């Protein structure tokens, strides 16, 4: 009887670990023109409320992402917004080179 209970407890622990498994999406963001790190770019994964901001080396890390399909969106002032569909089913390293964008302004009279 004790062996059955022990087996059941171990089985439930393994199943719960499999269901609660999460992953990390990380990488770096650079300028496609200069190849320099972009500091302060925002990275968002949707659906959900997952995000990060690049650090001093242009690197980011978003942890505790469940398995599934997401849209990764990377933005920084002066650069074209990058957006792409990704599938998260393992830890992913996703490096992006942002292209310089046009900044337009209007005169307010």
């Amino acid at each position: 009887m004790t062996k059955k209970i022990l087996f059941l407890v171990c089985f439930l622990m393994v199943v719960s670990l499999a269901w609660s498994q999460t992953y990390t999406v990380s990488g770096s963001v650079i300028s496609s023109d200069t190849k320099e790190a972009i500091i302060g770019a925002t990275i968002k994964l949707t659906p959900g409320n997952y995000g990060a901001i690049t650090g001093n080396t242009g690197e980011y890390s978003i942890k505790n992402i469940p398995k599934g399909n997401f849209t990764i969106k990377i933005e920084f002032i002066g650069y074209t917004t990058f957006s792409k569909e990704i599938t998260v089913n393992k830890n992913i390293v996703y490096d992006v080179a942002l292209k310089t964008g046009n900044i337009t302004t209007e005169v307010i009279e």
Side-chain angles (χ1 to χ4, degrees), residues 35-105:
K35 307 300 184 221
E36 292 180 7
I38 297 178
I39 302 167
T42 59
I43 298 91
K44 295 180 183 177
L45 290 179
T46 55
N49 191 25
Y50 307 104
I53 297 175
T54 56
N56 292 337
T57 60
E59 295 180 349
Y60 68 92
S61 181
I62 307 171
K63 298 179 181 180
N64 299 319
I65 308 299
K67 182 177 181 178
N69 296 319
F70 296 88
T71 300
I72 187 169
K73 185 175 182 181
I74 303 174
E75 297 178 300
F76 191 72
I77 295 173
Y79 289 85
T80 303
T81 299
F82 176 87
S83 182
K84 186 170 182 179
E85 300 291 323
I86 62 171
T87 299
V88 177
N89 56 10
K90 61 181 179 178
N91 292 333
I92 298 174
V93 175
Y94 202 84
D95 299 326
V96 174
L98 291 182
K99 295 180 182 178
T100 306
N102 295 329
I103 298 176
T104 58
T105 58

